[in-house]
Amino acid sequence: MTNDPSRLRAVVSVPLSEPLCRLIEELEPRLEVVRDHSLVRPMRGPADWSGDPDHQRTPEQQAAFDAMVDSADVLFGIPDVDPAALARTVEANPDLRWVMTTAAGGGSQVKAAELSRDALDRITFTTSAGVHGGTLAEFAVFGVLAGAKGLGRLIQDQRSRTWPERWEMRQVDEMTVLVVGLGGIGAECARRFSALGAQVWGTSRSGTPVEGVDRLIALEDLVDVVQHVDAIVVTLPGTEQTHHLIGAEVLAAVKPGAVLASVGRGTVIDESHLLPALDDGRIAFAALDVFEREPLDPTSPLWTHPNVLVSPHTAALSSKEEERIARRFAENAARLLDGRPLRAVVDTVEFY
């Protein structure tokens, strides 16, 4: 830890390239950015924050890694993206002030660490929520367009070399799109659908206006509202409150032929009730980037359903993700040093 209140000792506890470590130093010179690339697991691909699990530290390296992590005022990343490692360093380091998780849904990792209430009150936890908003919003637009234009039917006809009678495709600018969750991802979705001419509705707890949203909806009114919309875009995090929110009651009430796109957490949608809704046409098409259990079970009917597009939780992945998260860390470090509120703070009651 640093004894200078105008500086912070920031330990990089996950793989981050040297150029991005230097970028953080340039963006916020009051940070002492501590890293040792020989002690973190190497990435296997873009934004592989947990690193190669086959890469093992020697006992001496593990001791050096733990000592480095335990010296932090603030942490870039949960060590090895391992809740148990977070719990260990929180116990060992009473001066730890802030941990930034590299995942947008990092609240679930904090919850899994099973920290004491004292620790949760002492340390601020933030996530990268919003960093992935643009890429996920593009997938949501792609998914709704795929449903509106009948992608499943087009692929089936192409594969069977069938030239059918012409049929009418839907237009996004004639659709009402409901964005369930107007956080960072949802706001980006709303902006893009609005630009395409759609009527955009969105659920909100706060009631604060969001650019591109024509009508704000209270979450408790979801069942009544879904019967009036043409597409539903789910962006919510996975919490006890959102678990199976899109379940039997909502899916029974949807406007027949609705399109569904899911880019939040898979636990928000009850897949056992989604399948019959797909079979009887209540949901005409579903573009799913997230699932209740991942990887998706090879026996799941979702794999082969003609009106489902399966994406292996990859819609957010971008070669620019690491830089965006590094910039977010530097920005929040400046906020912490200046006594301003941090962005994307984890609610340590609901853990999102």
Side-chain angles (χ1 to χ4, degrees):
M1 301 80 174
T2 174
N3 293 321
D4 184 348
S6 66
R7 290 181 61 80
L8 287 174
R9 181 177 173 88
V11 172
V12 179
S13 60
V14 291
L16 184 69
S17 70
E18 181 60 23
L20 291 181
C21 291
R22 292 175 182 168
L23 175 64
I24 292 172
E25 291 174 323
E26 292 168 7
L27 292 172
E28 183 41 79
R30 292 174 292 178
L31 284 179
E32 176 191 356
V33 181
V34 179
R35 67 274 195 186
D36 186 333
H37 302 297
S38 70
L39 296 179
V40 294
R41 298 168 180 163
M43 284 187 175
R44 295 160 293 177
D48 179 26
W49 300 108
S50 56
D52 185 352
D54 293 332
H55 183 271
Q56 300 296 322
R57 301 184 186 96
T58 65
E60 292 76 18
Q61 287 175 323
Q62 186 64 51
F65 178 74
D66 290 345
M68 179 178 72
V69 166
D70 294 348
S71 71
D73 296 313
V74 300
L75 285 175
F76 180 96
I78 290 175
D80 295 334
V81 196
D82 179 0
L86 174 62
R88 189 208 61 77
T89 194
V90 166
E91 179 69 23
N93 182 359
D95 295 319
L96 185 62
R97 298 175 57 188
W98 166 44
V99 177
M100 177 175 171
T101 72
T102 48
S108 62
Q109 298 167 350
V110 177
K111 181 179 181 180
E114 298 182 341
L115 304 176
S116 68
R117 175 44 56 186
D118 285 347
L120 293 170
D121 291 341
R122 169 171 61 89
I123 302 167
T124 301
F125 297 92
T126 64
T127 73
S128 63
V131 166
H132 312 88
T135 51
L136 290 174
E138 285 191 5
F139 181 86
V141 170
F142 167 62
V144 171
L145 279 168
K149 305 305 179 185
L151 177 64
R153 180 175 180 178
L154 290 170
I155 290 174
Q156 283 182 305
D157 286 347
Q158 180 177 340
R159 287 175 176 169
S160 64
R161 304 187 184 190
T162 298
W163 188 276
E165 292 295 321
R166 296 175 69 196
W167 45 276
E168 184 179 359
M169 295 180 177
R170 286 188 277 180
Q171 295 178 229
V172 173
D173 66 1
E174 296 177 352
M175 299 174 73
T176 298
V177 178
L178 172 64
V179 180
V180 183
L182 288 173
I185 299 168
E188 288 293 330
C189 289
R191 189 165 65 84
R192 283 163 170 76
F193 281 110
S194 179
L196 289 171
Q199 181 83 2
V200 180
W201 298 357
T203 66
S204 169
R205 284 183 169 183
S206 67
T208 303
V210 175
E211 179 187 356
V213 178
D214 301 291
R215 178 183 173 187
L216 291 174
I217 307 295
L219 206 55
E220 53 265 27
D221 295 332
L222 191 61
V223 173
D224 295 328
V225 168
V226 292
Q227 59 188 303
H228 302 293
V229 303
D230 303 291
I232 302 167
V233 175
V234 182
T235 72
L236 290 172
T239 69
E240 291 180 7
Q241 287 68 33
T242 64
H243 183 77
H244 286 181
L245 179 70
I246 309 298
E249 192 176 7
V250 169
L251 292 168
V254 294
K255 182 179 180 179
V259 177
L260 176 67
S262 180
V263 293
R265 280 296 179 267
T267 54
V268 179
I269 297 176
D270 186 342
E271 292 171 10
S272 69
H273 290 284
L274 173 61
L275 281 160
L278 285 159
D279 290 338
D280 67 19
R282 281 173 287 151
I283 299 295
F285 187 83
L288 310 173
D289 184 53
V290 289
F291 300 86
E292 289 195 67
R293 292 181 179 82
E294 297 179 0
L296 181 61
D297 191 317
T299 65
S300 171
L302 292 171
W303 281 110
T304 55
H305 200 288
N307 295 320
V308 173
L309 179 66
V310 171
S311 170
H313 203 149
T314 197
L317 194 61
S318 164
S319 59
K320 297 292 287 183
E321 176 181 336
E322 296 159 33
E323 180 182 338
R324 293 190 189 109
I325 292 176
R327 289 182 179 275
R328 166 67 67 81
F329 182 75
E331 177 198 353
N332 260 350
R335 287 172 173 267
L336 183 64
L337 284 161
D338 294 339
R340 293 182 289 139
L342 274 62
R343 294 182 62 188
V345 174
V346 173
D347 180 322
T348 56
V349 176
E350 296 187 16
F351 292 97
Y352 73 91

mmCIF file of all heavy atoms in Angstrom, residues 170 176-180 201-203 215 217-234 245-260 282-283:
data_model
loop_
_atom_site.group_PDB
_atom_site.id
_atom_site.type_symbol
_atom_site.label_atom_id
_atom_site.label_comp_id
_atom_site.label_asym_id
_atom_site.label_seq_id
_atom_site.Cartn_x
_atom_site.Cartn_y
_atom_site.Cartn_z
ATOM 1 N N ARG A 170 -41.250 -8.455 -42.185
ATOM 2 C CA ARG A 170 -41.571 -7.318 -41.327
ATOM 3 C C ARG A 170 -40.479 -6.263 -41.412
ATOM 4 O O ARG A 170 -39.312 -6.565 -41.677
ATOM 5 C CB ARG A 170 -41.747 -7.784 -39.881
ATOM 6 C CG ARG A 170 -43.045 -8.535 -39.662
ATOM 7 C CD ARG A 170 -43.279 -8.810 -38.183
ATOM 8 N NE ARG A 170 -42.576 -9.998 -37.737
ATOM 9 C CZ ARG A 170 -42.618 -10.444 -36.495
ATOM 10 N NH1 ARG A 170 -43.293 -9.776 -35.564
ATOM 11 N NH2 ARG A 170 -41.976 -11.538 -36.155
ATOM 12 N N THR A 176 -42.752 -2.265 -32.562
ATOM 13 C CA THR A 176 -42.524 -1.751 -31.211
ATOM 14 C C THR A 176 -41.589 -2.726 -30.511
ATOM 15 O O THR A 176 -41.891 -3.919 -30.419
ATOM 16 C CB THR A 176 -43.837 -1.621 -30.426
ATOM 17 O OG1 THR A 176 -44.683 -0.687 -31.080
ATOM 18 C CG2 THR A 176 -43.575 -1.143 -29.004
ATOM 19 N N VAL A 177 -40.467 -2.212 -30.056
ATOM 20 C CA VAL A 177 -39.437 -3.037 -29.418
ATOM 21 C C VAL A 177 -39.386 -2.697 -27.934
ATOM 22 O O VAL A 177 -39.214 -1.524 -27.563
ATOM 23 C CB VAL A 177 -38.055 -2.800 -30.065
ATOM 24 C CG1 VAL A 177 -36.982 -3.628 -29.357
ATOM 25 C CG2 VAL A 177 -38.090 -3.134 -31.553
ATOM 26 N N LEU A 178 -39.536 -3.707 -27.101
ATOM 27 C CA LEU A 178 -39.453 -3.533 -25.655
ATOM 28 C C LEU A 178 -38.072 -3.966 -25.180
ATOM 29 O O LEU A 178 -37.689 -5.122 -25.343
ATOM 30 C CB LEU A 178 -40.522 -4.369 -24.947
ATOM 31 C CG LEU A 178 -40.436 -4.428 -23.415
ATOM 32 C CD1 LEU A 178 -40.657 -3.050 -22.805
ATOM 33 C CD2 LEU A 178 -41.440 -5.428 -22.854
ATOM 34 N N VAL A 179 -37.325 -3.049 -24.589
ATOM 35 C CA VAL A 179 -36.016 -3.350 -24.023
ATOM 36 C C VAL A 179 -36.206 -3.565 -22.525
ATOM 37 O O VAL A 179 -36.543 -2.632 -21.784
ATOM 38 C CB VAL A 179 -35.008 -2.211 -24.289
ATOM 39 C CG1 VAL A 179 -33.655 -2.562 -23.680
ATOM 40 C CG2 VAL A 179 -34.875 -1.956 -25.783
ATOM 41 N N VAL A 180 -35.987 -4.803 -22.089
ATOM 42 C CA VAL A 180 -36.194 -5.142 -20.678
ATOM 43 C C VAL A 180 -34.872 -4.911 -19.943
ATOM 44 O O VAL A 180 -33.979 -5.747 -19.951
ATOM 45 C CB VAL A 180 -36.668 -6.600 -20.517
ATOM 46 C CG1 VAL A 180 -36.954 -6.908 -19.047
ATOM 47 C CG2 VAL A 180 -37.922 -6.848 -21.353
ATOM 48 N N TRP A 201 -39.892 0.957 -26.299
ATOM 49 C CA TRP A 201 -40.335 0.992 -24.913
ATOM 50 C C TRP A 201 -39.239 0.343 -24.071
ATOM 51 O O TRP A 201 -38.472 -0.499 -24.553
ATOM 52 C CB TRP A 201 -41.650 0.246 -24.729
ATOM 53 C CG TRP A 201 -42.820 0.799 -25.479
ATOM 54 C CD1 TRP A 201 -42.833 1.918 -26.259
ATOM 55 C CD2 TRP A 201 -44.139 0.253 -25.528
ATOM 56 N NE1 TRP A 201 -44.082 2.118 -26.786
ATOM 57 C CE2 TRP A 201 -44.917 1.114 -26.363
ATOM 58 C CE3 TRP A 201 -44.759 -0.857 -24.954
ATOM 59 C CZ2 TRP A 201 -46.251 0.878 -26.636
ATOM 60 C CZ3 TRP A 201 -46.108 -1.090 -25.219
ATOM 61 C CH2 TRP A 201 -46.848 -0.232 -26.044
ATOM 62 N N GLY A 202 -39.168 0.695 -22.810
ATOM 63 C CA GLY A 202 -38.139 0.111 -21.957
ATOM 64 C C GLY A 202 -38.561 0.061 -20.508
ATOM 65 O O GLY A 202 -39.277 0.958 -20.036
ATOM 66 N N THR A 203 -38.125 -0.982 -19.809
ATOM 67 C CA THR A 203 -38.427 -1.089 -18.383
ATOM 68 C C THR A 203 -37.394 -0.316 -17.577
ATOM 69 O O THR A 203 -36.204 -0.320 -17.895
ATOM 70 C CB THR A 203 -38.453 -2.552 -17.906
ATOM 71 O OG1 THR A 203 -37.135 -3.112 -18.018
ATOM 72 C CG2 THR A 203 -39.423 -3.376 -18.724
ATOM 73 N N ARG A 215 -41.341 5.232 -24.366
ATOM 74 C CA ARG A 215 -42.242 4.974 -23.238
ATOM 75 C C ARG A 215 -41.515 4.157 -22.191
ATOM 76 O O ARG A 215 -40.922 3.113 -22.500
ATOM 77 C CB ARG A 215 -43.484 4.218 -23.726
ATOM 78 C CG ARG A 215 -44.473 3.859 -22.618
ATOM 79 C CD ARG A 215 -45.646 3.057 -23.159
ATOM 80 N NE ARG A 215 -46.510 2.577 -22.072
ATOM 81 C CZ ARG A 215 -47.531 1.741 -22.246
ATOM 82 N NH1 ARG A 215 -47.817 1.297 -23.458
ATOM 83 N NH2 ARG A 215 -48.251 1.347 -21.217
ATOM 84 N N ILE A 217 -41.604 1.780 -18.881
ATOM 85 C CA ILE A 217 -42.506 0.773 -18.339
ATOM 86 C C ILE A 217 -41.995 0.331 -16.971
ATOM 87 O O ILE A 217 -40.803 0.065 -16.803
ATOM 88 C CB ILE A 217 -42.584 -0.459 -19.262
ATOM 89 C CG1 ILE A 217 -42.933 -0.050 -20.699
ATOM 90 C CG2 ILE A 217 -43.544 -1.502 -18.713
ATOM 91 C CD1 ILE A 217 -44.288 0.551 -20.868
ATOM 92 N N ALA A 218 -42.888 0.235 -15.996
ATOM 93 C CA ALA A 218 -42.516 -0.351 -14.709
ATOM 94 C C ALA A 218 -42.412 -1.861 -14.873
ATOM 95 O O ALA A 218 -43.229 -2.479 -15.571
ATOM 96 C CB ALA A 218 -43.561 -0.003 -13.652
ATOM 97 N N LEU A 219 -41.426 -2.453 -14.244
ATOM 98 C CA LEU A 219 -41.194 -3.879 -14.411
ATOM 99 C C LEU A 219 -42.401 -4.706 -13.978
ATOM 100 O O LEU A 219 -42.684 -5.762 -14.574
ATOM 101 C CB LEU A 219 -39.947 -4.300 -13.621
ATOM 102 C CG LEU A 219 -39.192 -5.536 -14.103
ATOM 103 C CD1 LEU A 219 -38.783 -5.405 -15.566
ATOM 104 C CD2 LEU A 219 -37.955 -5.771 -13.234
ATOM 105 N N GLU A 220 -43.122 -4.231 -12.982
ATOM 106 C CA GLU A 220 -44.289 -4.994 -12.520
ATOM 107 C C GLU A 220 -45.431 -4.994 -13.545
ATOM 108 O O GLU A 220 -46.377 -5.779 -13.423
ATOM 109 C CB GLU A 220 -44.791 -4.455 -11.179
ATOM 110 C CG GLU A 220 -45.065 -2.981 -11.151
ATOM 111 C CD GLU A 220 -43.882 -2.168 -10.634
ATOM 112 O OE1 GLU A 220 -42.743 -2.627 -10.783
ATOM 113 O OE2 GLU A 220 -44.132 -1.087 -10.056
ATOM 114 N N ASP A 221 -45.325 -4.146 -14.568
ATOM 115 C CA ASP A 221 -46.344 -4.106 -15.614
ATOM 116 C C ASP A 221 -45.952 -4.940 -16.834
ATOM 117 O O ASP A 221 -46.624 -4.876 -17.879
ATOM 118 C CB ASP A 221 -46.592 -2.657 -16.054
ATOM 119 C CG ASP A 221 -47.185 -1.806 -14.938
ATOM 120 O OD1 ASP A 221 -47.873 -2.382 -14.073
ATOM 121 O OD2 ASP A 221 -46.939 -0.587 -14.926
ATOM 122 N N LEU A 222 -44.891 -5.722 -16.707
ATOM 123 C CA LEU A 222 -44.341 -6.442 -17.859
ATOM 124 C C LEU A 222 -45.375 -7.358 -18.521
ATOM 125 O O LEU A 222 -45.494 -7.382 -19.751
ATOM 126 C CB LEU A 222 -43.123 -7.259 -17.408
ATOM 127 C CG LEU A 222 -42.247 -7.867 -18.497
ATOM 128 C CD1 LEU A 222 -41.657 -6.780 -19.390
ATOM 129 C CD2 LEU A 222 -41.111 -8.682 -17.859
ATOM 130 N N VAL A 223 -46.127 -8.103 -17.726
ATOM 131 C CA VAL A 223 -47.107 -9.049 -18.284
ATOM 132 C C VAL A 223 -48.153 -8.318 -19.122
ATOM 133 O O VAL A 223 -48.548 -8.793 -20.198
ATOM 134 C CB VAL A 223 -47.776 -9.861 -17.155
ATOM 135 C CG1 VAL A 223 -48.907 -10.713 -17.709
ATOM 136 C CG2 VAL A 223 -46.746 -10.742 -16.461
ATOM 137 N N ASP A 224 -48.589 -7.165 -18.666
ATOM 138 C CA ASP A 224 -49.603 -6.409 -19.400
ATOM 139 C C ASP A 224 -49.029 -5.791 -20.674
ATOM 140 O O ASP A 224 -49.740 -5.661 -21.681
ATOM 141 C CB ASP A 224 -50.174 -5.291 -18.516
ATOM 142 C CG ASP A 224 -50.935 -5.834 -17.312
ATOM 143 O OD1 ASP A 224 -51.545 -6.916 -17.441
ATOM 144 O OD2 ASP A 224 -50.898 -5.195 -16.249
ATOM 145 N N VAL A 225 -47.758 -5.444 -20.642
ATOM 146 C CA VAL A 225 -47.158 -4.703 -21.753
ATOM 147 C C VAL A 225 -46.758 -5.614 -22.910
ATOM 148 O O VAL A 225 -46.878 -5.233 -24.085
ATOM 149 C CB VAL A 225 -45.933 -3.905 -21.236
ATOM 150 C CG1 VAL A 225 -45.096 -3.366 -22.384
ATOM 151 C CG2 VAL A 225 -46.401 -2.773 -20.334
ATOM 152 N N VAL A 226 -46.279 -6.842 -22.607
ATOM 153 C CA VAL A 226 -45.714 -7.679 -23.682
ATOM 154 C C VAL A 226 -46.733 -8.042 -24.746
ATOM 155 O O VAL A 226 -46.365 -8.380 -25.881
ATOM 156 C CB VAL A 226 -45.065 -8.967 -23.117
ATOM 157 C CG1 VAL A 226 -43.820 -8.636 -22.321
ATOM 158 C CG2 VAL A 226 -46.055 -9.780 -22.293
ATOM 159 N N GLN A 227 -48.014 -7.958 -24.448
ATOM 160 C CA GLN A 227 -49.028 -8.293 -25.449
ATOM 161 C C GLN A 227 -49.164 -7.212 -26.518
ATOM 162 O O GLN A 227 -49.854 -7.408 -27.522
ATOM 163 C CB GLN A 227 -50.381 -8.514 -24.778
ATOM 164 C CG GLN A 227 -50.911 -7.339 -24.001
ATOM 165 C CD GLN A 227 -52.165 -7.667 -23.197
ATOM 166 O OE1 GLN A 227 -53.159 -8.108 -23.765
ATOM 167 N NE2 GLN A 227 -52.098 -7.476 -21.890
ATOM 168 N N HIS A 228 -48.450 -6.089 -26.330
ATOM 169 C CA HIS A 228 -48.552 -4.972 -27.266
ATOM 170 C C HIS A 228 -47.263 -4.730 -28.044
ATOM 171 O O HIS A 228 -47.205 -3.779 -28.827
ATOM 172 C CB HIS A 228 -48.924 -3.692 -26.510
ATOM 173 C CG HIS A 228 -50.203 -3.796 -25.741
ATOM 174 N ND1 HIS A 228 -51.437 -3.926 -26.340
ATOM 175 C CD2 HIS A 228 -50.438 -3.803 -24.396
ATOM 176 C CE1 HIS A 228 -52.375 -4.005 -25.420
ATOM 177 N NE2 HIS A 228 -51.807 -3.929 -24.225
ATOM 178 N N VAL A 229 -46.234 -5.548 -27.855
ATOM 179 C CA VAL A 229 -44.951 -5.285 -28.515
ATOM 180 C C VAL A 229 -44.620 -6.387 -29.512
ATOM 181 O O VAL A 229 -45.091 -7.515 -29.397
ATOM 182 C CB VAL A 229 -43.807 -5.123 -27.488
ATOM 183 C CG1 VAL A 229 -44.123 -4.018 -26.498
ATOM 184 C CG2 VAL A 229 -43.510 -6.420 -26.755
ATOM 185 N N ASP A 230 -43.795 -6.023 -30.501
ATOM 186 C CA ASP A 230 -43.432 -6.956 -31.568
ATOM 187 C C ASP A 230 -42.108 -7.663 -31.300
ATOM 188 O O ASP A 230 -41.839 -8.717 -31.887
ATOM 189 C CB ASP A 230 -43.322 -6.195 -32.896
ATOM 190 C CG ASP A 230 -44.620 -5.471 -33.231
ATOM 191 O OD1 ASP A 230 -45.611 -6.151 -33.533
ATOM 192 O OD2 ASP A 230 -44.621 -4.220 -33.163
ATOM 193 N N ALA A 231 -41.284 -7.083 -30.454
ATOM 194 C CA ALA A 231 -39.988 -7.690 -30.141
ATOM 195 C C ALA A 231 -39.620 -7.365 -28.703
ATOM 196 O O ALA A 231 -39.941 -6.280 -28.195
ATOM 197 C CB ALA A 231 -38.902 -7.175 -31.088
ATOM 198 N N ILE A 232 -38.947 -8.308 -28.064
ATOM 199 C CA ILE A 232 -38.507 -8.157 -26.675
ATOM 200 C C ILE A 232 -37.004 -8.385 -26.635
ATOM 201 O O ILE A 232 -36.515 -9.429 -27.097
ATOM 202 C CB ILE A 232 -39.216 -9.166 -25.754
ATOM 203 C CG1 ILE A 232 -40.738 -8.992 -25.828
ATOM 204 C CG2 ILE A 232 -38.721 -9.026 -24.319
ATOM 205 C CD1 ILE A 232 -41.519 -10.135 -25.188
ATOM 206 N N VAL A 233 -36.282 -7.420 -26.100
ATOM 207 C CA VAL A 233 -34.824 -7.520 -25.967
ATOM 208 C C VAL A 233 -34.498 -7.552 -24.478
ATOM 209 O O VAL A 233 -34.819 -6.616 -23.746
ATOM 210 C CB VAL A 233 -34.116 -6.333 -26.647
ATOM 211 C CG1 VAL A 233 -32.602 -6.405 -26.394
ATOM 212 C CG2 VAL A 233 -34.404 -6.328 -28.144
ATOM 213 N N VAL A 234 -33.882 -8.639 -24.024
ATOM 214 C CA VAL A 234 -33.599 -8.831 -22.601
ATOM 215 C C VAL A 234 -32.129 -8.514 -22.335
ATOM 216 O O VAL A 234 -31.237 -9.146 -22.916
ATOM 217 C CB VAL A 234 -33.923 -10.269 -22.162
ATOM 218 C CG1 VAL A 234 -33.665 -10.443 -20.673
ATOM 219 C CG2 VAL A 234 -35.369 -10.630 -22.498
ATOM 220 N N LEU A 245 -37.599 -14.206 -14.840
ATOM 221 C CA LEU A 245 -38.561 -13.117 -15.020
ATOM 222 C C LEU A 245 -39.363 -13.320 -16.310
ATOM 223 O O LEU A 245 -40.580 -13.089 -16.348
ATOM 224 C CB LEU A 245 -37.823 -11.776 -15.059
ATOM 225 C CG LEU A 245 -38.688 -10.541 -15.271
ATOM 226 C CD1 LEU A 245 -39.542 -10.265 -14.037
ATOM 227 C CD2 LEU A 245 -37.816 -9.322 -15.587
ATOM 228 N N ILE A 246 -38.658 -13.738 -17.358
ATOM 229 C CA ILE A 246 -39.337 -14.074 -18.619
ATOM 230 C C ILE A 246 -39.673 -15.557 -18.528
ATOM 231 O O ILE A 246 -38.911 -16.429 -18.959
ATOM 232 C CB ILE A 246 -38.450 -13.777 -19.837
ATOM 233 C CG1 ILE A 246 -37.896 -12.352 -19.764
ATOM 234 C CG2 ILE A 246 -39.244 -13.997 -21.133
ATOM 235 C CD1 ILE A 246 -38.947 -11.267 -19.774
ATOM 236 N N GLY A 247 -40.824 -15.826 -17.901
ATOM 237 C CA GLY A 247 -41.236 -17.203 -17.638
ATOM 238 C C GLY A 247 -42.637 -17.457 -18.148
ATOM 239 O O GLY A 247 -43.105 -16.816 -19.098
ATOM 240 N N ALA A 248 -43.325 -18.383 -17.499
ATOM 241 C CA ALA A 248 -44.628 -18.849 -17.980
ATOM 242 C C ALA A 248 -45.616 -17.710 -18.153
ATOM 243 O O ALA A 248 -46.304 -17.619 -19.186
ATOM 244 C CB ALA A 248 -45.166 -19.898 -17.018
ATOM 245 N N GLU A 249 -45.705 -16.817 -17.159
ATOM 246 C CA GLU A 249 -46.729 -15.777 -17.200
ATOM 247 C C GLU A 249 -46.469 -14.786 -18.330
ATOM 248 O O GLU A 249 -47.382 -14.430 -19.093
ATOM 249 C CB GLU A 249 -46.793 -15.055 -15.853
ATOM 250 C CG GLU A 249 -48.001 -14.168 -15.689
ATOM 251 C CD GLU A 249 -48.098 -13.540 -14.304
ATOM 252 O OE1 GLU A 249 -47.153 -13.685 -13.497
ATOM 253 O OE2 GLU A 249 -49.134 -12.892 -14.041
ATOM 254 N N VAL A 250 -45.225 -14.339 -18.448
ATOM 255 C CA VAL A 250 -44.885 -13.379 -19.508
ATOM 256 C C VAL A 250 -45.034 -14.022 -20.882
ATOM 257 O O VAL A 250 -45.623 -13.433 -21.805
ATOM 258 C CB VAL A 250 -43.452 -12.839 -19.309
ATOM 259 C CG1 VAL A 250 -42.994 -12.053 -20.533
ATOM 260 C CG2 VAL A 250 -43.382 -11.968 -18.063
ATOM 261 N N LEU A 251 -44.533 -15.240 -21.029
ATOM 262 C CA LEU A 251 -44.576 -15.894 -22.341
ATOM 263 C C LEU A 251 -45.987 -16.274 -22.756
ATOM 264 O O LEU A 251 -46.284 -16.374 -23.951
ATOM 265 C CB LEU A 251 -43.651 -17.117 -22.331
ATOM 266 C CG LEU A 251 -42.159 -16.776 -22.226
ATOM 267 C CD1 LEU A 251 -41.339 -18.016 -21.931
ATOM 268 C CD2 LEU A 251 -41.668 -16.102 -23.506
ATOM 269 N N ALA A 252 -46.871 -16.464 -21.794
ATOM 270 C CA ALA A 252 -48.272 -16.721 -22.124
ATOM 271 C C ALA A 252 -48.959 -15.456 -22.620
ATOM 272 O O ALA A 252 -49.947 -15.529 -23.366
ATOM 273 C CB ALA A 252 -49.001 -17.273 -20.909
ATOM 274 N N ALA A 253 -48.440 -14.300 -22.206
ATOM 275 C CA ALA A 253 -49.095 -13.026 -22.521
ATOM 276 C C ALA A 253 -48.552 -12.351 -23.772
ATOM 277 O O ALA A 253 -49.133 -11.366 -24.241
ATOM 278 C CB ALA A 253 -48.954 -12.078 -21.328
ATOM 279 N N VAL A 254 -47.440 -12.846 -24.337
ATOM 280 C CA VAL A 254 -46.811 -12.145 -25.450
ATOM 281 C C VAL A 254 -47.731 -12.080 -26.659
ATOM 282 O O VAL A 254 -48.587 -12.946 -26.878
ATOM 283 C CB VAL A 254 -45.468 -12.802 -25.866
ATOM 284 C CG1 VAL A 254 -44.429 -12.678 -24.786
ATOM 285 C CG2 VAL A 254 -45.669 -14.241 -26.305
ATOM 286 N N LYS A 255 -47.528 -11.050 -27.455
ATOM 287 C CA LYS A 255 -48.221 -10.916 -28.735
ATOM 288 C C LYS A 255 -47.753 -12.036 -29.655
ATOM 289 O O LYS A 255 -46.546 -12.193 -29.866
ATOM 290 C CB LYS A 255 -47.886 -9.548 -29.324
ATOM 291 C CG LYS A 255 -48.554 -9.215 -30.636
ATOM 292 C CD LYS A 255 -48.122 -7.809 -31.034
ATOM 293 C CE LYS A 255 -48.739 -7.374 -32.340
ATOM 294 N NZ LYS A 255 -48.317 -5.994 -32.703
ATOM 295 N N PRO A 256 -48.628 -12.851 -30.180
ATOM 296 C CA PRO A 256 -48.190 -13.965 -31.034
ATOM 297 C C PRO A 256 -47.298 -13.490 -32.177
ATOM 298 O O PRO A 256 -47.590 -12.489 -32.842
ATOM 299 C CB PRO A 256 -49.512 -14.531 -31.559
ATOM 300 C CG PRO A 256 -50.512 -14.178 -30.506
ATOM 301 C CD PRO A 256 -50.083 -12.831 -29.996
ATOM 302 N N GLY A 257 -46.196 -14.197 -32.368
ATOM 303 C CA GLY A 257 -45.245 -13.828 -33.404
ATOM 304 C C GLY A 257 -44.142 -12.898 -32.948
ATOM 305 O O GLY A 257 -43.363 -12.392 -33.758
ATOM 306 N N ALA A 258 -44.035 -12.672 -31.645
ATOM 307 C CA ALA A 258 -43.004 -11.778 -31.131
ATOM 308 C C ALA A 258 -41.614 -12.353 -31.367
ATOM 309 O O ALA A 258 -41.406 -13.570 -31.402
ATOM 310 C CB ALA A 258 -43.213 -11.528 -29.641
ATOM 311 N N VAL A 259 -40.645 -11.473 -31.517
ATOM 312 C CA VAL A 259 -39.244 -11.831 -31.647
ATOM 313 C C VAL A 259 -38.564 -11.579 -30.299
ATOM 314 O O VAL A 259 -38.834 -10.565 -29.638
ATOM 315 C CB VAL A 259 -38.553 -11.005 -32.755
ATOM 316 C CG1 VAL A 259 -37.061 -11.332 -32.831
ATOM 317 C CG2 VAL A 259 -39.227 -11.241 -34.092
ATOM 318 N N LEU A 260 -37.684 -12.484 -29.903
ATOM 319 C CA LEU A 260 -36.985 -12.372 -28.621
ATOM 320 C C LEU A 260 -35.479 -12.367 -28.858
ATOM 321 O O LEU A 260 -34.957 -13.214 -29.599
ATOM 322 C CB LEU A 260 -37.363 -13.550 -27.720
ATOM 323 C CG LEU A 260 -36.670 -13.662 -26.360
ATOM 324 C CD1 LEU A 260 -37.097 -12.515 -25.447
ATOM 325 C CD2 LEU A 260 -36.995 -15.006 -25.704
ATOM 326 N N ARG A 282 -45.947 -18.368 -30.394
ATOM 327 C CA ARG A 282 -46.011 -17.136 -29.588
ATOM 328 C C ARG A 282 -44.701 -16.362 -29.732
ATOM 329 O O ARG A 282 -44.698 -15.133 -29.856
ATOM 330 C CB ARG A 282 -46.278 -17.480 -28.121
ATOM 331 C CG ARG A 282 -47.727 -17.799 -27.794
ATOM 332 C CD ARG A 282 -47.860 -18.299 -26.373
ATOM 333 N NE ARG A 282 -47.339 -19.653 -26.225
ATOM 334 C CZ ARG A 282 -46.818 -20.157 -25.104
ATOM 335 N NH1 ARG A 282 -46.711 -19.390 -24.028
ATOM 336 N NH2 ARG A 282 -46.404 -21.398 -25.057
ATOM 337 N N ILE A 283 -43.590 -17.077 -29.675
ATOM 338 C CA ILE A 283 -42.294 -16.497 -30.013
ATOM 339 C C ILE A 283 -41.935 -17.019 -31.395
ATOM 340 O O ILE A 283 -41.727 -18.222 -31.592
ATOM 341 C CB ILE A 283 -41.214 -16.880 -28.985
ATOM 342 C CG1 ILE A 283 -41.580 -16.356 -27.599
ATOM 343 C CG2 ILE A 283 -39.847 -16.341 -29.427
ATOM 344 C CD1 ILE A 283 -41.624 -14.839 -27.475
#
